[in-house]
Amino acid sequence: MANLLDIEKSRAHDGFPEGFLWGAAVSAKQAEGQEGRGLTVADLQNFDPNDKTKVKGDYSAQEIADRLEHPEKYWFPKKMGIEFYRRYPEDIELLSGMGLRCFRFSIAWSRIFPNGDDGMPSEEGLAYYDALLDCLEAHGMVPIVTLYHDDMPVSLATKYNGFLSKHVREAYVRYAETVMRRYAGRIRYWIPVNQINLTRVGLSSLGIVRDTVDDLDAKKLQAVHNKFVVCARVASLGHKIDPEAKFGAMLADFLVNPMTCKPEDVILSTQKNQMTMYFYADVQLRGRYPGYALRSFADNGVKIEVESGELELIANNTMDFLAISYYNSNVVSAEKNSMAIGDSVVNPYLEANPWGWTVNPTGLLDGFLRYWDRYGVPLMIAENGFGQVEELGSDNTVHDDYRIAYLREHIAAIGEAIRQGVDVFAYCAWSPIDMVSSGTSEMRKRYGLIYNDQDDFGNGTHTRYPKDSYRWYKQVIETNGREL
Ligand code: BG6
């Protein structure tokens, strides 16, 4: 007789494994600034303090034209970013002070092909990422690279309606192939597209100008199908270019729970989780359109045009890992909510930040247990963090104990998932430095472990100041997550 726990010792994890990738994540559209690259749809997301729209950016053709013709009427924070384009050497140096083992960033398509579909790639753009990779290597940070973080070159959206068009799909694959060949052997982890399930702002995620198509919801699903196809092509090509390379599906965590145990609430939460979360990962990780999605398309009259060979391509090129961005969680009530992603009610048991984003580390553990059960592929946290309004103190720091508490509890949830046998290989905090918000284009929604002295209108010295969370995260990494 033997104790099961002794027999299975090798499988009983005692917290974070050696070599766990502790890191932080940024995106080109929020960090780099427009210097040296073409204009993107993200650059057109202006900031206006009087505009209370929650999520900005789904402009009509007329709104886009006005922004292009009369830029002087608007303030565009993403054109400035936080000047990471120029400042990366000192920024990476500062980050290496925390001992980061990995760094997730995105390559700006418009830096390699300024219009997205130019005849030749920009050598200057390619050389920029050579230098960034050199810098990361010099500081011992493993790069995790997103190829498309919702920053489509403008004309690909206005002329072609983005991923709806074959021309744009070919341009994306060409861009991806160009960078995969250039950086072969230097980048192991690739995420072909950021948060494939977050199609709410169709312009940035899919490149669709909303008032130029009929039946927008169905068109979005067609563009999502087209994205599945290009992701499979990129993985297929990338595995040939570098057999060591790994490709990840990425989801924004929008798992919901039922508001009550009323059967209507329960089934709505199941159906929402299917159609706004699992559908995407089922196709990209299991390689087939799931039955519930086919049923939903039939019920809603959605016709997805599939070219010959596409379904086989998807089936034969499933992704290697699943990356999740996790911030908050919500619940749904059949009386109040529809199937639309993000249409939910706030969980009354949770506290929230000033933007109503609830804090729920248990939800992260719950989600990771579900993903692991369903897919059995390695998981990573691509983004996790807490946005708050903050000011630099007279002692040149920010005492962000609330952020430390948030990160501590979420990292502990990941640690518990690992103890329960889930294979997690990386955790990236969002964000290392305060950056322009993706959804609202504000600076005041600060996520950074480092304060950046820059306001909503780009004023300030732009000097970086480590917050308390910077010092705390350094110790987490030093102790491999033992001291949280
Ligand atoms: C994720 C995006 O969905 O959420 C990031 O990938 C973004 O780009 C993050 O910054 C937080 O959202 P926001 O709107 O608060 O910046």
Side-chain angles (χ1 to χ4, degrees):
M1 295 282 270
N3 181 340
L4 174 72
L5 291 181
D6 291 334
I7 301 170
E8 290 282 30
K9 216 173 210 155
S10 61
R11 282 180 52 208
H13 291 277
D14 184 23
F16 294 93
E18 282 312 309
F20 186 79
L21 294 176
W22 296 99
V26 304
S27 78
K29 70 173 184 179
Q30 291 158 275
E32 284 183 6
Q34 204 215 324
E35 186 181 351
R37 64 163 173 77
L39 198 68
T40 73
V41 293
D43 294 322
L44 300 183
Q45 292 164 357
N46 63 297
F47 173 70
D48 171 358
N50 300 316
D51 176 3
K52 300 290 179 220
T53 324
K54 262 192 176 163
V55 177
K56 304 186 202 316
D58 232 347
Y59 304 123
S60 65
Q62 180 53 43
E63 287 167 332
I64 295 175
D66 197 54
R67 281 165 173 74
L68 292 173
E69 283 157 29
H70 302 289
E72 71 288 351
K73 285 175 25 191
Y74 302 93
W75 164 240
F76 299 111
K78 287 172 184 141
K79 286 190 185 176
M80 174 183 270
I82 57 163
E83 301 157 312
F84 185 72
Y85 174 65
R86 273 190 182 274
R87 302 186 63 143
Y88 77 85
E90 52 183 298
D91 283 345
I92 297 294
E93 176 83 43
L94 193 53
L95 296 189
S96 90
M98 277 188 286
L100 293 196
R101 297 182 190 161
C102 72
F103 183 65
R104 173 177 174 239
F105 65 97
S106 68
I107 293 180
W109 181 350
S110 65
R111 200 174 282 298
I112 308 302
F113 291 96
N115 298 294
D117 57 354
D118 310 67
M120 293 289 288
S122 152
E123 180 50 35
E124 201 186 327
L126 288 165
Y128 170 70
Y129 294 108
D130 280 331
L132 176 58
L133 289 169
D134 289 346
C135 183
L136 293 174
E137 279 166 24
H139 289 96
M141 291 182 210
V142 171
I144 299 179
V145 174
T146 312
L147 280 166
Y148 178 67
H149 198 119
D150 306 329
D151 52 355
M152 183 165 288
V154 162
S155 58
L156 295 188
T158 53
K159 280 200 214 157
Y160 302 101
N161 261 328
F163 284 106
L164 269 184
S165 120
K166 194 167 183 100
H167 176 77
V168 174
R169 272 131 62 193
E170 294 307 320
Y172 168 79
V173 173
R174 185 161 156 257
Y175 148 66
E177 182 171 359
T178 304
V179 299
M180 290 193 297
R181 288 198 187 283
R182 175 79 168 216
Y183 310 122
R186 302 190 76 184
I187 299 171
R188 180 155 195 201
Y189 301 104
W190 298 91
I191 297 175
V193 296
N194 188 53
Q195 303 180 154
I196 193 162
N197 63 324
L198 198 50
T199 57
R200 253 192 320 194
V201 183
L203 184 60
S204 38
S205 60
L206 301 162
I208 301 177
V209 182
R210 62 174 158 80
D211 60 340
T212 62
V213 295
D214 299 329
D215 204 359
L216 183 60
D217 287 342
K219 288 291 187 323
K220 281 187 176 179
L221 285 163
Q222 178 69 53
V224 164
H225 169 79
N226 298 344
K227 259 190 174 178
F228 290 148
V229 175
V230 292
C231 287
R233 283 177 65 187
V234 165
S236 163
L237 267 167
H239 283 135
K240 287 189 193 102
I241 293 170
D242 177 2
E244 296 287 303
K246 304 280 177 217
F247 291 81
M250 180 176 168
L251 299 179
D253 193 307
F254 271 80
L255 282 180
V256 291
N257 285 304
M259 175 77 180
T260 70
C261 50
K262 229 175 11 183
E264 292 82 359
D265 290 355
V266 174
I267 193 67
L268 177 65
S269 86
T270 299
Q271 287 170 341
K272 266 189 94 126
N273 289 338
Q274 285 179 327
M275 286 311 292
T276 62
M277 292 290 300
Y278 296 134
F279 157 58
Y280 299 86
D282 283 356
V283 176
Q284 291 202 289
L285 293 164
R286 290 173 157 177
R288 281 191 80 182
Y289 272 83
Y292 58 79
L294 302 177
R295 174 78 201 259
S296 158
F297 297 160
D299 286 351
N300 294 298
V302 173
K303 288 201 184 78
I304 309 272
E305 305 288 346
V306 176
E307 284 185 27
S308 144
E310 285 183 346
L311 295 181
E312 294 74 13
L313 189 78
I314 290 171
N316 295 331
N317 295 282
T318 53
M319 299 290 130
D320 304 307
F321 64 92
L322 175 60
I324 298 288
S325 58
Y326 184 88
Y327 290 90
N328 58 351
S329 80
N330 285 298
V331 291
V332 286
S333 142
E335 273 170 27
K336 298 187 180 135
N337 302 123
S338 69
M339 283 290 285
I341 188 165
D343 178 19
S344 50
V345 283
V346 172
N347 184 331
Y349 296 99
L350 302 176
E351 293 191 353
N353 77 357
W355 286 264
W357 293 29
T358 50
V359 176
N360 185 12
T362 308
L364 175 56
L365 171 61
D366 188 40
F368 265 48
L369 296 176
R370 295 196 216 183
Y371 300 136
W372 176 248
D373 272 355
R374 195 168 177 115
Y375 301 114
V377 295
L379 300 172
M380 70 167 282
I381 282 284
E383 297 174 23
N384 174 232
F386 186 72
Q388 186 54 285
V389 182
E390 294 174 320
E391 276 179 23
L392 189 67
S394 53
D395 52 353
N396 276 346
T397 189
V398 177
H399 301 295
D400 54 345
D401 44 327
Y402 39 86
R403 179 169 297 106
I404 293 174
Y406 177 98
L407 296 174
R408 173 187 291 129
E409 287 168 22
H410 285 78
I411 291 174
I414 295 294
E416 177 55 24
I418 293 173
R419 271 182 215 102
Q420 293 191 31
V422 181
D423 181 358
V424 188
F425 67 97
Y427 171 88
C428 291
W430 186 275
S431 58
I433 308 172
D434 295 337
M435 285 188 295
V436 179
S437 150
S438 171
T440 60
S441 291
E442 298 164 286
M443 270 303 297
R444 68 194 276 278
K445 192 175 188 186
R446 295 176 181 275
Y447 286 89
L449 308 177
I450 297 167
Y451 183 87
N452 173 19
D453 177 26
Q454 177 177 336
D455 73 11
D456 286 339
F457 291 94
N459 303 309
T461 61
H462 300 200
T463 309
R464 290 32 171 160
Y465 298 94
K467 303 179 191 176
D468 283 355
S469 53
Y470 174 100
R471 290 173 274 274
W472 171 82
Y473 195 40
K474 179 177 195 296
Q475 165 210 303
V476 171
I477 299 174
E478 262 168 20
T479 63
N480 202 34
R482 279 184 297 278
E483 280 178 37
L484 290 179

